[in-house]
Each structure stands twice: as C-alpha cells, then as structure tokens.
Amino acid sequence: MAKLGIVILFALLGAAAAQFNYDEFMEDQGPPSPGLKFGYYKRTCPRAEEIVREAVRDAVSKNPGIGAGLIRMAFHDCFVQGCDGSVLLDPTPANPRPEKLGPPNFPSLRGFEVIDAAKSALEKACHGVVSCADIVQYAGRDASFFLSNGRVSYELPGGRFDGRISLENETLAFLPPPFFTLPQLIGSFRAKGLDADDLVVLSGSHSVGRSHCSSFSDRIGGTAPPPSDMDPALAAALRKQCPANPTFNNDPTVVQDVVTPGLLDNQYYNNVLRRQVLFNSDAALMTSEQTAAMVRDNAKQGRRWEKKFARAMVKMASIEIKTAANGEVRTNCRVVN
Ligand code: HEM
Ligand SMILES: *[C@@H]1O[C@H](CO)[C@@H](O)[C@H](O)[C@H]1NC(C)=O
C-alpha cells in the first residue's frame, strides 16, 4: 500500500515537473522586473491567481469577446501611468475626466465588470491584499490562455501597486491610434521600453475581438476604390457592415480576424500578408524590411509566436511599476482609497 502511494507520488511529481520546468521558463521569460515577484500572493492570499482565473473563465465562457477586451485592457493600463489600474478609475467630482473617458477607451474598452467580480471575490477571501493593477494583468494573461485554448500559457509575477492618478488627456498622448505609421508606432512602444519585435508580436492580439467601424473607416473608402492598401474584397465586405460616416450613435462593430475571429493565434500575420487587416497600424508592419520579416516569421511559426507573445505580455506587464511609496492597494477598483 505504502509502495503504491510512493509510486503515485512520483507520478504526480513527474507530471508537475513536465508541466513546469524552471530552467526552460527562465530561458523563455527571464527573471521578473524589480518590484515584482512570481507567486507574490502565495502567503498573503494563496488562491489569488485562481480567483482571477475563475472570474475570467466565467466571463469568457459567456462571451469570448470580453476576453479580447481584457487583453486590450492590460495594454491600455500599462501604457498610461504604467500598469497601475489607473484605467479602472471612475469619474468623481475631484477627477471628472479619468483615463476611462479618453477616446481610446470610451466607449470601446470592455471587461470592467470582470475586474469588479474578481475584486469582490478577492476582498472576501483576503481583504485589502490583491491590487487592481495585478488583477488587470492576471486577467489579460488568463484571457489569453482561454482564447488560445491553453496554448498561450505563462507565469506572471505580481506586486504592482495601484495608482491614484488617472487623466483623460494622457490616453491620446501615450496610446497609439489606428492610423499611426510604423515609425510612430515604434516611437510609442519605445517610449514604454518595448521594441519593434514587441510591437509586431503583441499586435498579434488583433487576431481576436472586434473593432468599431470608426476605427478604420478611413481605409475602406466610399463608392470610389478604397484609398488604402486593404484587400479590395475585405474593403467591400466592410463597406456593407459599416456606415459611410460612422457617428457615436451609429458605429457598428466587425471582427478583427475574418478567418479565426475567436481564437488567439498567429492567423493575424497571415491576414497582414494578405492585406486583410483593419488598421493602418496593422498594415504598417509591412512597411519596413525588418518588421516585414518578423511578420513572415510569425506567420510561419505559430508555436514560436505563442511563446514570444507570452514573453512580450510579461514585459509589457512590468512597465513603470508603482510601489508602496507611490501606490496603494485599492479596496474598490473604481475608486482610490
Ligand atoms: C500597435 C498599436 C495598436 C493600435 C493602433 C491598436 C488599435 C486598436 C483599435 C483601434 C482597436 C479597436 C477598438 C474598437 O474600435 O472597438 C483595437 C482592438 C483591440 N486591440 Fe489593439 N491596438 C494596438 C496594439 C494592441 C496591443 C499591444 C494589444 C494587446 C497586447 C491589443 C489588443 C487589442 C484587442 C484584444 C482588441 C479587441 C478588443 C475588443 O474586442 O474589445 N492591441 N486595437
Ligand atoms: C493633462 O492635464 C493635467 C491637468 O488637468 C496637466 O497637468 C497635464 O500636464 C496634462 N498632460 C498632458 C499630457 O497633456
């Protein structure tokens, strides 16, 4: 009986080792950035990461689009004031125009209710311990996991503190708009410590989710031939789904990836090569030899892209981290303490 127990124990250990190889992991992702730690909540809130994953699983099973929203939220939080949960703050009399109301975020950014659900479960389990900034990054990680059917899977260090500053006017200053050219995109990413490879690799998340027509209407033209390099067949299909002049009250959405719209995969790069992408910022990746070569590599090597995507998400999640000295752990993600 004892012998059987030992056999089972080793079988379990073997399975765990097969799942998580520390050396391979460090080679893939490198050590966490200063201030962040793998398993940050292991002692203070052991189920923290599981609780977030459950909230994301629940939301994504009902509406996969929310998962796309959460991946985008992780990006929009990090590029403005660092990864500090500043995108979550609601307007107040003291701060009537927070990031949330900036044009890149309102009305398109979605998934806020998932962060609220995770936070309320976390507050029940361990009051005042898990930051909203960490929840946003874990949620982006978990959404990537579910939308890729488990193929994008990575460990993410925690320990981000929540910021108290959130300004609408900083959103357009730091978040690249869809009409940006390649040098402008590279400039936005460089300003946040990310390089051209990160730009190309992370743009692959435009293989899930949707866009409002207003984000690309400049590229599909009216009755005249489109003034862009978009595949004419896609442009024609989009003209059928979008009004000629979208307005706030008449701005339908279309899928980003016409081939595998709900799957986080490297199909995006094949779409870029076929000129079947919505934004100038997507098409622009073909405008330098260096980034075009990256697009071709990612189109060919799906498994490699999945690993690179995971690594770039971890890198993005370490932008301008706040500490106890300039941050806090909010009890409600929508308001400062
Ligand atoms: C390179 C510069 C980028 C530009 C110019 C850009 C622009 C946009 C725009 C205009 C939309 C459509 C919003 C709408 O109208 O509903 C969108 C959607 C999206 N973006 Fe980006 N994006 C960029 C990079 C990224 C990055 C780095 C990520 C994540 C790592 C990301 C993830 C997403 C996702 C998942 C969606 C779909 C959101 C949804 O369905 O709610 N994007 N992006
Ligand atoms: C945003 O507005 C605040 C005050 O409302 C101002 O102090 C700050 O300089 C502005 N930032 C940018 C990037 O325009």
Side-chain angles (χ1 to χ4, degrees):
M1 206 49 209
K3 213 172 177 181
L4 181 64
I6 288 172
V7 169
I8 290 173
L9 177 67
F10 274 87
L12 288 173
L13 283 175
Q19 256 182 7
F20 185 74
N21 178 323
Y22 185 79
D23 291 338
E24 198 176 279
F25 172 75
M26 286 313 230
E27 198 181 291
D28 271 8
Q29 297 188 184
S33 71
L36 300 180
K37 236 171 96 177
F38 292 105
Y40 183 82
Y41 296 107
K42 198 153 70 185
R43 284 210 196 90
T44 54
C45 191
R47 291 194 63 245
E49 294 188 39
E50 254 174 86
I51 289 171
V52 176
R53 183 155 288 207
E54 277 161 20
V56 174
R57 178 189 287 117
D58 193 49
V60 171
S61 70
K62 289 176 191 144
N63 178 1
I66 296 297
L70 290 168
I71 297 171
R72 186 169 182 236
M73 186 185 290
F75 163 49
H76 284 206
D77 192 32
C78 290
F79 267 52
V80 184
Q81 288 281 338
C83 314
D84 71 341
S86 52
V87 73
L88 305 173
L89 292 171
D90 279 346
T92 61
N95 185 27
R97 306 296 306 175
E99 280 172 38
K100 202 179 237 182
L101 299 184
N105 295 328
F106 185 77
S108 63
L109 195 60
R110 50 180 175 160
F112 294 106
E113 65 291 342
V114 183
I115 306 299
D116 292 336
K119 182 59 168 172
S120 86
L122 285 165
E123 286 302 298
K124 274 185 202 126
C126 9
H127 176 67
V129 172
V130 182
S131 72
C132 298
D134 278 345
I135 298 172
V136 169
Q137 298 309 315
Y138 287 140
R141 182 265 303 262
D142 298 338
S144 304
F145 177 82
F146 292 120
L147 294 185
S148 68
N149 290 330
R151 297 183 61 87
V152 172
S153 176
Y154 57 95
E155 296 289 316
L156 183 69
R160 298 163 193 81
F161 280 73
D162 297 327
R164 299 185 191 88
I165 301 164
S166 179
L167 299 165
E168 172 183 15
N169 66 352
E170 293 190 339
T171 56
L172 277 180
F174 295 109
L175 288 165
F179 51 81
F180 259 18
T181 63
L182 183 64
Q184 291 174 315
L185 293 166
I186 289 177
S188 304
F189 274 62
R190 186 183 296 136
K192 298 295 160 186
L194 302 185
D195 60 24
D197 193 43
D198 299 319
L199 166 67
V200 175
V201 164
L202 290 172
S203 292
S205 53
H206 289 171
S207 82
V208 289
R210 68 185 190 188
S211 172
H212 290 77
C213 292
S214 56
S215 300
F216 56 84
S217 50
D218 56 325
R219 301 218 321 134
I220 60 177
T223 45
S228 73
D229 70 347
M230 189 189 287
D231 165 41
L234 177 62
L238 293 171
R239 281 197 296 274
K240 285 193 188 138
Q241 300 174 71
C242 291
N245 295 299
T247 59
F248 188 87
N249 291 314
N250 183 19
D251 196 358
T253 58
V254 305
V255 297
Q256 297 251 15
D257 173 356
V258 285
V259 185
T260 53
L263 187 65
L264 182 66
D265 63 359
N266 70 330
Q267 179 60 41
Y268 168 81
Y269 302 96
N270 289 300
N271 296 346
V272 172
L273 292 172
R274 292 181 199 144
R275 307 191 181 285
Q276 290 177 353
V277 280
L278 299 179
F279 310 135
N280 188 64
S281 59
D282 300 316
L285 301 180
M286 295 306 289
T287 61
S288 85
E289 199 28 65
Q290 183 207 20
T291 51
M294 294 170 184
V295 169
R296 287 191 294 269
D297 282 354
N298 289 318
K300 262 185 245 139
Q301 304 193 58
R303 182 69 202 130
R304 184 160 164 269
W305 171 75
E306 288 161 1
K307 288 187 172 197
K308 292 189 74 149
F309 182 77
R311 184 158 50 177
M313 287 292 279
V314 174
K315 188 172 170 190
M316 182 173 79
S318 69
I319 295 171
E320 297 162 19
I321 297 309
K322 292 195 169 72
T323 62
N326 60 352
E328 61 184 17
V329 174
R330 284 180 216 145
T331 52
N332 174 345
C333 290
R334 292 172 181 268
V335 291
V336 298
N337 287 347

